[in-house]
Amino acid sequence: MEKEIVIRMEELTKLYGTQTAVDRLTLSVAQGEVFGFLGPNGAGKTTTMLMLLGLTEPTSGTVRVCGFDPARDPLKVKEIIGYLPEHVGFYEDMDARQNLRYIARLNDIPDRISTARIDRLLEEVDLAGEATKKVGSYSKGMRQRLGIAEVLIKEPKVVFLDEPTIGLDPDGTNRMLDLIQALSRERQMTIFFSSHLLDQVQQISDRIGIMIKGKLVAAGPLAELAQRGLGLEEGEAYTLEEIYMKYFKEA
Amino acid sequence: MHGILTIYRKEMEDHFSSMRFLLIAALIVMIGVIIASMVGMSMQEELRGVAKPTFVFLMLFTSTGKLFSFVQFIGLLGPLIGIILGFDAINRERSGRTLSKLVSQPIYRDAIINAKFLAGVTMIAIVMASLVLIISGLGIRLIGVVPGAEEIWRLLIYLVLSIIYISFWLGAAILFSVVFRSTATSALASLAVWICLSFFIGLGGSFLADAVAPINQTADMAEATDAFLKNAEIQRVASLFSPMTLYGDATSTILDPMRKTTRAFVLMGPLERFSLSRFQNPLPLGQSVVIVAPFMISLIAITFVCFGICYAVFMRQEIRST
Ligand SMILES: Nc1ncnc2c1ncn2[C@@H]1O[C@H](COP(=O)(O)OP(=O)(O)O)[C@@H](O)[C@H]1O
Ligand SMILES: [Mg+2]
């Protein structure tokens, strides 16, 4: 049976003045997929996510998340998605648990349910030991993991992670990637994440989209991209970097 | 609804633990109480052995004493409470990068503004109500008069007027916090508008009046009167743009029942003046309310205008975490 499509974009375009940030993007992501959105800085990855979330309006084209139009039904979409912004902020003078409780309440989750959920999530993102410390004292990696916990507190169907590994050290990066992979495996969540780092995308994505200067130049499983982009036969050795450079030169 | 309630609760907690707000509130309560108790003590002196005039209790709030009255003081510095509560409402979340998280939760965006406004209004109400209560308590001890039912009503209306007045400044400050990304800019902008509307409009009004209708010495009595009246009218119209003047006019009508009109004395016709001298009875409460209603409505209206602009700017604004 064909998997249900949860994210659908058609001819999606966003202009800032005369500058095209996203150019006629057509892309779908199926239920349970991990989609890696790869592109250099300024490619339009964040802008695409903002349109998927209804945080900015598309200039033209259509977006559907689980069948809802984020521009017209923002609340319906926000009930079922989780979003980790590129630079996530917290209420610095509150501890991890208080920050999570606030987000839970904003999602209308009663405290008696969220208490257990918060404990479980803190365990899961490895912050249980630091839960009573003020977030102001957290390291970048801890903040990023707390961000993931905040995304998961509402038990979303789809999660959008914007550069989840940016600014993390190798250890922090690996923990984050493991966490993302676990979400997909254990909870069958649909994950749409962006990054400008090739190897990370390669490690955890089922499918990859390459975005350059607002245009989606390629999308598909890694092997398929290699065959199409480099003209390789199945089984031949390749790296994502080669593919990436190829598309980059073309664009 | 859960959105408004949750944000409201958090904002209240933030206000109660905000050093900045607590300091300003304490300062204003302290000075207000000092002013009123000075007035109370001098009244205590004057009233010794004299029959107490009607509405003596309200004079505690309206007599000017040595410097200015309590009512004038709140008119002057009350806006600071509103500004302190609101100037960084939205841009604090923006620079703390919590705003993009907040707007991606399933709540309406206006819930964020509304909750912050309501929390601010609650704090204003708490400060003003405790001020009026403290001063009333002092007054009962100092002058030895218990306020009558009508005086209590008048004080209540005064309280409501003051809350609306300071809430207008809260609304304006929140608007600046939406428009400006930096909290320093929004603080400065709020202060600038406050100073401009409160202090310079009066000055500007008299300049304008002198320019348009100069009062010059002429032999012709009728002409001189004409120019004088025109000059006063222009000043009055200009002052209508100043919330402080609106508030001052409204509160003095409510708290001083001997006043029959909010207009300056010079603008009264001879008949009005005649009737004022003939009927030195206090204006009934109902009539006072009728006189101040337009002021209340225009204060509420400009607060809503602020809000309208807030919504228009914020509702469709793109919110990036950078
Ligand atoms: N508010 C804005 N006004 C004008 N241009 C913008 C705005 N936001 C983003 N852009 C431009 O849109 C392009 C895409 O940006 P973005 O989506 O943030 O890229 P990415 O997330 O892939 O690094 C960039 O060239 C950026 O300069
Ligand atoms: Mg980006």
Side-chain angles (χ1 to χ4, degrees):
Chain A
M1 193 188 89
E2 191 70 357
K3 281 214 171 141
E4 186 196 353
I5 298 290
V6 290
I7 303 172
R8 189 192 298 278
M9 293 174 262
E10 268 160 37
E11 295 286 300
L12 190 61
T13 302
K14 176 75 185 180
L15 301 178
Y16 287 110
T18 54
Q19 193 197 352
T20 312
V22 176
D23 192 6
R24 284 168 291 150
L25 172 62
T26 300
L27 180 68
S28 319
V29 178
Q31 161 65 37
E33 222 178 341
V34 179
F35 188 87
F37 206 38
L38 182 65
N41 285 326
K45 306 182 296 291
T46 303
T47 310
T48 306
M49 283 208 190
L50 293 181
M51 289 190 283
L52 285 166
L53 294 161
L55 296 184
T56 192
E57 273 183 69
T59 309
S60 64
T62 52
V63 200
R64 292 290 179 274
V65 177
C66 295
F68 298 113
D69 179 352
R72 293 189 52 203
D73 271 326
L75 257 48
K76 289 263 172 45
V77 172
K78 286 166 186 172
E79 272 164 19
I80 50 177
I81 59 101
Y83 170 50
L84 180 70
E86 194 169 346
H87 303 275
V88 62
F90 300 94
Y91 300 101
E92 309 270 316
D93 50 351
M94 305 199 307
D95 64 25
R97 211 177 287 274
Q98 288 166 326
N99 268 287
L100 286 167
R101 170 68 43 89
Y102 187 49
I103 299 294
R105 285 180 181 161
L106 287 173
N107 281 283
D108 210 8
I109 302 168
D111 286 358
R112 73 191 138 76
I113 295 177
S114 65
T115 307
R117 219 181 264 182
I118 288 170
D119 285 338
R120 193 165 37 86
L121 278 171
L122 284 172
E123 206 66 57
E124 202 167 326
V125 300
D126 210 1
L127 284 174
E130 276 90 5
T132 50
K133 280 193 198 145
K134 298 242 186 292
V135 175
S137 68
Y138 276 23
S139 72
K140 175 82 188 165
M142 289 160 75
R143 297 167 77 91
Q144 211 68 0
R145 278 181 277 139
L146 179 57
I148 294 278
E150 277 190 352
V151 167
L152 298 180
I153 189 102
K154 62 167 103 166
E155 307 203 319
K157 286 176 70 177
V158 189
V159 295
F160 295 93
L161 311 174
D162 198 354
E163 310 254 6
T165 56
I166 201 166
L168 298 185
D169 56 20
D171 175 51
T173 304
N174 285 335
R175 283 168 96 166
M176 181 58 74
L177 294 178
D178 289 346
L179 204 56
I180 297 173
Q181 233 164 2
L183 292 185
S184 153
R185 287 215 195 96
E186 288 155 26
R187 308 189 191 207
Q188 280 75 49
M189 277 180 190
T190 309
I191 297 170
F192 186 94
F193 83 102
S194 79
S195 177
H196 62 277
L197 298 172
L198 304 161
D199 51 336
Q200 300 175 3
V201 178
Q202 189 170 11
Q203 269 180 47
I204 57 171
S205 309
D206 296 327
R207 275 199 316 147
I208 295 170
I210 300 179
M211 184 99 167
I212 292 168
K213 290 187 188 137
K215 284 198 174 69
L216 185 72
V217 293
L222 188 57
E224 197 179 292
L225 292 189
Q227 283 171 25
R228 250 193 300 141
L230 300 172
L232 295 179
E233 296 301 315
E234 214 170 317
E236 251 184 288
Y238 58 84
T239 63
L240 182 58
E241 189 162 1
E242 286 173 306
I243 304 166
Y244 187 60
M245 287 318 292
K246 170 103 174 46
Y247 284 111
F248 201 79
K249 285 206 190 85
E250 273 172 18
Chain B
M1 263 328 276
H2 64 271
I4 287 202
L5 218 68
T6 306
I7 301 174
Y8 175 84
R9 272 166 59 182
K10 169 162 190 309
E11 288 297 310
M12 291 296 286
E13 282 168 21
D14 284 355
H15 288 322
F16 273 116
S17 57
S18 149
M19 228 32 220
R20 200 172 57 205
F21 166 73
L22 293 179
L23 270 176
I24 286 283
L27 202 70
I28 285 186
V29 169
M30 213 168 67
I31 301 178
V33 170
I34 290 173
I35 290 176
S37 55
M38 268 159 52
V39 169
M41 278 186 279
S42 65
M43 275 165 66
Q44 194 183 24
E45 288 290 308
E46 284 163 26
L47 293 177
R48 189 158 292 150
V50 184
K52 306 244 175 6
T54 42
F55 298 115
V56 64
F57 198 78
L58 295 179
M59 284 166 71
L60 203 59
F61 294 85
T62 54
S63 318
T64 37
K66 285 199 180 65
L67 280 167
F68 34 66
S69 69
F70 171 77
V71 169
Q72 285 168 331
F73 168 70
I74 292 299
L76 208 62
L77 289 187
L80 268 184
I81 303 179
I83 292 176
I84 285 278
L85 285 169
F87 79 91
D88 64 349
I90 299 296
N91 51 16
R92 183 188 56 217
E93 305 253 12
R94 211 192 284 276
S95 55
R97 288 168 170 168
T98 45
L99 190 59
S100 50
K101 213 168 63 182
L102 211 50
V103 294
S104 60
Q105 304 308 326
I107 51 170
Y108 290 105
R109 273 201 199 182
D110 53 355
I112 301 173
I113 296 182
N114 292 346
K116 290 188 177 238
F117 182 72
L118 284 179
V121 171
T122 313
M123 296 312 288
I124 293 168
I126 291 174
V127 172
M128 283 311 297
S130 33
L131 252 176
V132 168
L133 279 177
I134 294 173
I135 293 176
S136 301
L138 264 175
I140 294 174
R141 292 209 51 176
L142 285 175
I143 338 179
V145 197
V146 177
E150 193 182 329
E151 282 174 303
I152 291 177
W153 272 115
R154 283 176 186 274
L155 274 177
L156 274 179
I157 296 173
Y158 166 73
L159 193 60
V160 171
L161 267 173
S162 306
I163 294 170
I164 294 175
Y165 171 61
I166 301 176
S167 300
F168 157 72
W169 285 104
L170 172 70
I174 291 180
L175 171 60
F176 286 126
S177 84
V178 170
V179 174
F180 297 111
R181 306 215 156 204
S182 126
T183 52
T185 315
S186 61
L188 281 179
S190 316
L191 289 179
V193 169
W194 168 56
I195 289 171
C196 177
L197 288 190
S198 299
F199 305 106
F200 290 135
I201 280 219
L203 268 175
S206 56
F207 270 124
L208 187 74
D210 285 341
V212 177
I215 307 170
N216 31 26
Q217 308 288 329
T218 51
D220 189 349
M221 194 54 195
E223 204 177 292
T225 319
D226 248 16
F228 187 72
L229 285 181
K230 209 169 156 202
N231 188 295
E233 181 69 17
I234 291 172
Q235 283 196 37
R236 193 183 68 86
V237 170
S239 73
L240 285 184
F241 289 94
S242 159
M244 186 165 88
T245 315
L246 288 178
Y247 171 75
D249 286 348
T251 48
S252 45
T253 309
I254 273 296
L255 288 183
D256 184 1
M258 296 301 176
R259 262 172 87 118
K260 309 262 157 45
T261 164
T262 59
R263 288 170 148 210
F265 199 62
V266 286
L267 284 183
M268 290 180 185
L271 272 178
E272 265 178 292
R273 227 177 281 195
F274 177 64
S275 73
L276 196 66
S277 58
R278 276 295 298 283
F279 308 106
Q280 269 298 5
N281 283 328
L283 195 64
L285 180 62
Q287 292 298 311
S288 299
V289 172
V290 169
I291 291 180
V292 299
F295 294 104
M296 252 201 233
I297 291 168
S298 64
L299 265 175
I300 295 177
I302 45 179
T303 312
F304 272 98
V305 169
C306 276
F307 258 62
I309 304 174
C310 256
Y311 289 148
V313 175
F314 187 58
M315 292 312 261
R316 318 212 109 190
Q317 197 172 51
E318 174 181 303
I319 290 165
R320 273 178 191 262
S321 60
T322 39

